[in-house]
Amino acid sequence: MTAVEWMFAGAVGFSGLAIVYHHALFPLYLKARARRPGQEEPGAEVTELPSMTVVVPAYNEETMIAGKVRNLSSLIYPANKLSVVIACDGCRDETAVRARLAASEPECRHLSIRVIEYAENRGKVAVLNEVLGAVKTDLVCLTDASAWLSVDAFSRTARHFRAPDIGVVAGTYLLYRAGSAGEATYWRYQRLVKQGEASLGAPLGVHGACYVMRTSAVRLLPGDTINDDFILPMQAVADGYRSVYDPTILALEMETSDIGMDFKRRCRIAAGNTQQVLRMASLLHPRHGGVALAFASGKALRITMPYMMATCLMGCAALAPVSPLFLLLVSLQGLGYTLAVARPTILKSVRFRLLDVLHYIVTGHAANLVGSVRYLAGLEKGRWTKISSHTKIEVPQ
């Protein structure tokens, strides 16, 4: 082989190893960690429960907000210790009206619910900073309007906060109805990842559907923050607080998204991933131990994956004329990408879960590429838009 061919072979080897490590080896390690006994357990029942403010940022959530109010009103937690703030960020629908109507229902009147209407849509981060800056309770819960919480979510959360160094408690994210088999498989995988990350020191970020923070651990966000549900909890971890993942605290996502809308959401998440790796690079320092390992192996490597995959494919293509091995490798990659792209057409005639998962992974990396480029080019502005398909869910009355 010539020097140039050796260079291509080295690029293929390095990128291929990174791809295998990110997609297989590190997840297997996390899976093994997640199944070990001795994971963080909540303490005994708390006699004096901490006070808590529940913050529900909302933008055009008229189809979901009434159900959210009823769900919060049904949770097991003393009403005198719990208050709810529904922050409507320039909504153009009846979110605020429906929230107030639900709050006035007999089964909800016991709960202190404040609905704030902002005339202008300023973005979720601006709303969070304003509301969080005014919170005076011991704890603050951030939760999505479309997520319903398990009845004992707050009582279980409070037990964790008996330890003074606990700054964040995250729960499990479940889908009421997945948009695809690939999406369902992905979130099952993510739950194992969170458990494995927690065993290394802390789950890397949380899902915005529901997480609770010690109010003293909250630092307000830079105005252009994209993934607030990563930056907020990880700022606390960087400040020395511990973060806990409790799989028995459930948040059930009631909305579904179609393929196009899901892609837009994943592009935005990818832009946020790029931002958070750059801004939270201090978490890569060895003093953070297992958190640094998980951050490097998961978040940092994730934003490089589209480029690694392209390098591996092009390197194999360049070497295919001189090596049967690289011809085989480029053929397998080409077949995999072709099947992933052709998945919507193929699945009209046959349901094949592995193909659905492959499609979800490949389109995820495509979104990763688009999102990272958008962020680096300064095109991601940090404003939220509705990505839900508004699938109708029957809400109990």
Side-chain angles (χ1 to χ4, degrees):
M1 293 176 66
T2 66
V4 173
E5 290 169 345
W6 276 112
M7 181 183 69
F8 278 118
V12 170
F14 178 79
S15 58
L17 181 61
I19 292 167
V20 171
Y21 175 75
H22 178 72
H23 289 94
L25 300 181
F26 186 66
L28 285 173
Y29 173 65
L30 288 180
K31 185 176 181 180
R33 297 276 312 194
R35 290 179 173 175
R36 288 183 181 181
Q39 298 289 327
E40 185 86 34
E41 293 290 341
E45 293 292 341
V46 182
T47 54
E48 182 63 27
L49 289 167
S51 57
M52 185 187 305
T53 299
V54 182
V55 178
V56 185
Y59 177 62
N60 294 348
E61 294 284 2
E62 65 178 11
T63 61
M64 290 290 167
I65 198 64
K68 181 66 175 184
V69 170
R70 295 171 189 137
N71 171 242
L72 292 174
S73 300
S74 71
L75 301 191
I76 302 171
Y77 210 78
N80 65 331
K81 294 283 188 176
L82 194 64
S83 60
V84 177
V85 176
I86 299 174
C88 302
D89 183 27
C91 296
R92 299 292 179 258
D93 62 4
E94 295 188 349
T95 299
V97 172
R98 297 191 182 189
R100 291 191 178 101
L101 285 173
S104 67
E105 294 172 355
E107 63 270 28
C108 302
R109 289 177 190 164
H110 67 284
L111 194 58
S112 171
I113 301 175
R114 181 186 176 200
V115 180
I116 303 175
E117 288 187 82
Y118 297 100
E120 179 186 356
N121 175 228
R122 298 176 296 161
K124 183 179 180 182
V125 170
V127 168
L128 285 179
N129 280 342
E130 185 164 329
V131 175
L132 292 176
V135 170
K136 304 299 182 185
T137 51
D138 301 317
L139 308 177
V140 58
C141 170
L142 292 98
T143 179
D144 289 342
S146 58
W148 291 9
L149 311 183
S150 50
V151 68
D152 61 347
F154 291 162
S155 56
R156 292 192 65 86
T157 297
R159 292 161 63 184
H160 285 289
F161 284 102
R162 288 177 57 125
D165 62 337
I166 297 294
V168 185
V169 175
T172 295
Y173 180 65
L174 302 173
L175 298 175
Y176 177 78
R177 184 180 297 132
S180 67
E183 184 180 24
T185 301
Y186 172 78
W187 284 110
R188 284 195 297 271
Y189 158 77
Q190 278 297 315
R191 289 193 287 275
L192 280 175
V193 166
K194 288 300 178 193
Q195 287 179 272
E197 290 173 347
S199 73
L200 288 174
L204 292 187
V206 297
H207 200 283
C210 178
Y211 62 102
V212 181
M213 294 187 66
R214 193 180 298 276
T215 304
S216 59
V218 173
R219 278 200 281 137
L220 300 188
L221 296 159
D224 62 345
T225 299
I226 299 172
N227 291 351
D228 54 274
D229 52 8
F230 180 90
I231 299 293
L232 264 176
M234 295 314 291
Q235 282 180 162
V237 171
D239 288 341
Y241 286 96
R242 287 199 298 138
S243 179
V244 173
Y245 175 75
D246 187 337
T248 67
I249 298 171
L250 308 179
L252 181 65
E253 177 60 61
M254 302 302 292
E255 284 189 327
T256 58
S257 57
D258 62 30
I259 293 174
M261 292 174 180
D262 182 62
F263 186 80
K264 292 179 181 179
R265 175 183 63 83
R266 294 165 85 186
C267 285
R268 177 176 170 80
I269 290 173
N273 286 340
T274 306
Q275 181 188 70
Q276 64 205 25
V277 168
L278 295 175
R279 292 192 176 176
M280 302 296 294
S282 63
L283 291 174
L284 294 170
H285 194 284
R287 71 174 179 271
H288 292 294
V291 173
L293 173 64
F295 191 49
S297 303
K299 297 294 185 181
L301 264 183
R302 183 178 304 168
I303 65 174
T304 71
M305 276 301 107
Y307 310 99
M308 293 289 185
M309 293 164 73
T311 298
C312 190
L313 179 64
M314 291 187 292
C316 288
L319 294 171
V322 299
S323 169
L325 172 62
F326 288 103
L327 176 61
L328 174 63
L329 291 176
V330 74
S331 299
L332 291 175
Q333 290 175 76
L335 176 62
Y337 292 137
T338 300
L339 289 174
V341 171
R343 168 262 187 193
T345 302
I346 296 173
L347 287 186
K348 287 181 180 179
S349 57
V350 59
R351 297 299 302 177
F352 188 28
R353 178 177 290 272
L354 182 60
L355 190 59
D356 206 4
V357 172
L358 178 64
H359 173 78
Y360 197 78
I361 292 172
V362 171
T363 54
H365 285 305
N368 195 359
L369 176 62
V370 173
S372 62
V373 170
R374 280 182 57 82
Y375 176 73
L376 294 172
L379 300 176
E380 186 59 60
K381 302 303 181 184
R383 290 292 182 90
W384 54 358
T385 56
K386 290 295 291 177
I387 55 129
S388 156
S389 61
H390 295 287
T391 299
K392 182 175 176 56
I393 302 294
E394 293 299 327
V395 179
Q397 301 297 315

